[in-house]
Amino acid sequence: MKKLLLLMMAAAMILVGCGTEAQPEKNESEKTAQEQTSGFPVTVKDALDEEVVIEEKPEKIISLIPSNTEIVYALDSGDAIVGVTDFDNYPEEVMSKEKIGGMEFNIEKMISLKPDLVLAPGSTADTVKEGLQQLKDAGIAVVVVNDAQSFEEVYQSIEMIGQAIGEQEKADELVDSMKNSFAELKKKAEAIKPEEQKSVFVEVSPAPEIYTAGKNTFINEMLELIGAKNAAGDMDGWPKVDPEAIVERNPDVIVTTYGYYTEEPIEQVLARPGWNNVKAVKDQQVFDVHSDLVTRSGPRLAEGAEELAKAIYPDVFK
């Protein structure tokens, strides 16, 4: 999901392949007593406001975006995952799962894996509408999970997936755990006086095409939570920013999120022509944080917020 995966996938993701052979459904007599008392069937209202009926607890799941994969694992159901994207890299066990594509998905291969459930991303639902319909025509339950851009929307994603896979209680516990972690960070941030708040510019992709996180993003919410001011807070979503505009904003701190796939990101920022008078560069306040923790709308966002906090205010968030 590197280099602003949400934007790339929304613009380019195309499902390919064919194959619409329907899978046989189990009848009532084939269901075990445990299945009949497990809370299934369940009806999930997904991000498209469609009511998806899931007859039994899914034993085979395909996830079409890394954040959904992480949620399934966080709900102790990773063993049910049978297919993931080329971008999935966490937890480590996911690396051994069948890959069903990156910017394009192989529908034929997906159907051959005989999943009970496909978790699709809301960010690309319109783009991949035809492909999702192929899956539905093959008798596979497809739940489109909301495109989370805030903490609250991430909680909604977790709750939706928890309901779909029969782990509602664990989903509730995970959401409570994340809320508690955020609350602890917010409590520590109270030590930062308003006049001490730092202006922070977050780069989610490197030059020459620099993208950042503006308002209405979970990164902006993280910065506010830890007592920092978003230097791009007047922008909306994930905008592309001209380097000269960043110089004019003169942030106290610059945070990059692409060290995983770009060599020496800090050194690149420090060496940019014309940036020597930017306060963050002058004061050597340029840091790289783990991309997946702060740009992936999953259960590790609290860890991402903590990593941001420690980079920006090391004395406060020890």
Side-chain angles (χ1 to χ4, degrees):
M1 186 202 71
K2 303 306 174 187
K3 205 166 185 178
L4 202 53
L5 175 61
L6 290 175
L7 292 178
M8 292 173 62
M9 291 180 73
M13 192 186 296
I14 301 174
L15 278 80
V16 297
C18 58
T20 57
E21 182 180 353
Q23 300 178 59
E25 296 183 1
K26 293 183 181 180
N27 58 43
E28 288 296 324
S29 63
E30 293 177 311
K31 295 182 179 180
T32 66
Q34 181 180 1
E35 288 173 330
Q36 292 179 27
T37 59
S38 64
F40 287 87
V42 298
T43 301
V44 179
K45 180 170 281 192
D46 71 3
L48 301 181
D49 274 338
E50 294 184 2
E51 293 189 342
V52 182
V53 178
I54 303 172
E55 297 290 346
E56 301 172 3
K57 183 175 175 65
E59 296 180 354
K60 293 184 177 181
I61 301 169
I62 290 179
S63 172
L64 302 184
I65 194 170
S67 55
N68 290 347
T69 304
E70 289 199 23
I71 291 172
V72 173
Y73 271 93
L75 299 180
D76 297 326
S77 298
D79 288 346
I81 293 281
V82 295
V84 297
T85 74
D86 296 342
F87 301 108
D88 281 81
N89 57 4
Y90 185 89
E92 186 176 348
E93 305 93 275
V94 83
M95 304 301 289
S96 63
K97 300 291 184 178
E98 285 286 340
K99 300 298 187 292
I100 45 79
M103 303 308 295
E104 298 180 349
F105 294 141
N106 188 326
I107 293 296
E108 196 169 61
K109 183 174 183 179
M110 291 171 65
I111 293 175
S112 73
L113 294 174
K114 299 181 179 179
D116 307 304
L117 173 66
V118 171
L119 297 172
S123 57
T124 58
D126 288 338
T127 309
V128 300
K129 189 174 182 179
E130 183 178 336
L132 296 183
Q133 188 59 52
Q134 283 184 270
L135 296 174
K136 295 174 185 178
D137 291 343
I140 301 168
V142 177
V143 171
V144 178
V145 182
N146 59 309
D147 179 23
Q149 296 299 322
S150 67
F151 295 166
E152 189 59 40
E153 290 176 352
V154 172
Y155 303 151
Q156 292 170 10
S157 298
I158 293 170
E159 297 285 2
M160 184 185 298
I161 292 175
Q163 183 186 11
I165 68 174
E167 297 295 350
Q168 188 67 62
E169 186 175 341
K170 289 180 181 177
D172 293 340
E173 292 172 356
L174 177 56
V175 168
D176 287 342
S177 175
M178 292 179 68
K179 288 181 177 179
N180 290 336
S181 296
F182 286 133
E184 290 176 9
L185 290 173
K186 186 175 182 179
K187 181 71 175 175
K188 289 183 179 180
E190 291 175 359
I192 303 168
K193 299 176 182 178
E195 62 271 19
E196 296 173 340
Q197 289 189 346
K198 296 180 180 180
S199 170
V200 182
F201 184 82
V202 179
E203 291 191 6
V204 295
S205 69
E209 295 187 351
I210 301 174
Y211 283 84
T212 189
K215 58 186 177 182
N216 298 316
T217 65
F218 42 79
I219 288 183
N220 183 72
E221 198 168 353
M222 287 182 194
L223 292 173
E224 292 178 344
L225 179 80
I226 62 175
K229 293 179 287 188
N230 187 353
D234 59 326
M235 302 180 182
D236 188 57
W238 307 87
K240 181 179 177 181
V241 186
D242 187 280
E244 292 183 5
I246 304 171
V247 172
E248 291 175 4
R249 289 167 189 264
N250 195 28
D252 299 314
V253 178
I254 295 175
V255 174
T256 65
T257 67
Y258 42 81
Y260 179 78
Y261 62 92
T262 301
E263 291 185 7
E264 301 183 336
I266 295 173
E267 288 74 9
Q268 286 188 30
V269 173
L270 293 175
R272 284 177 185 163
W275 284 47
N276 54 304
N277 287 323
V278 174
K279 195 172 188 308
V281 173
K282 211 165 30 173
D283 297 342
Q284 301 281 301
Q285 292 295 294
V286 181
F287 309 101
D288 185 73
V289 298
H290 195 296
S291 174
D292 294 345
L293 295 181
V294 296
T295 66
R296 186 174 289 177
S297 55
R300 294 190 291 163
L301 275 186
E303 295 177 46
E306 184 174 9
E307 187 165 327
L308 269 178
K310 289 179 177 178
I312 298 166
Y313 299 113
D315 294 335
V316 177
F317 298 93
K318 293 180 180 178

